[in-house]
């Protein structure tokens, strides 16, 4: 919801809180990356996508986005 409302910093805070509770919540990492991209923080987005892949190596959302931003 926060991302859809362009409240990226709020989204980042909420998602990080969720990840403190469940550090294996793959969708949260992908949403965190999305918020970081919208907030102009590409390096943080890349870190979030890589976290997704550490948990779920076959995750196509993270793979596609890393390819889109040309990151190994």
């Amino acid at each position: 919801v926060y991302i859809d409302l362009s409240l990226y910093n709020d989204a980042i805070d909420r998602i990080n809180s969720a990840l403190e509770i469940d550090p294996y919540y793959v969708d949260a990492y992908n949403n965190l990356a999305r918020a970081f991209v919208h907030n102009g923080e590409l390096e943080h987005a890349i870190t979030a996508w890589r976290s997704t892949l550490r948990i779920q190596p076959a995750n196509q959302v993270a793979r596609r986005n890393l390819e889109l931003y040309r990151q190994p």
Side-chain angles (χ1 to χ4, degrees), residues 17-46:
S17 293
L19 288 168
E20 286 178 15
I21 295 167
D22 183 359
Y24 297 99
Y25 185 15
V26 170
D27 289 337
Y29 285 109
N30 283 327
N31 287 329
L32 183 61
R34 184 175 159 215
F36 279 135
V37 167
H38 285 293
N39 213 31
E41 299 178 67
L42 184 57
E43 290 302 316
H44 290 295
I46 290 167

Side-chain angles (χ1 to χ4, degrees), residues 47-70:
T47 298
W49 287 316
R50 287 181 177 156
S51 294
T52 296
L53 293 176
R54 274 194 293 280
I55 297 165
Q56 193 178 74
N59 187 284
Q60 292 303 307
V61 172
R63 288 192 175 285
R64 186 174 46 247
N65 283 311
L66 284 172
E67 287 175 14
L68 178 66
Y69 291 98
R70 302 181 198 283

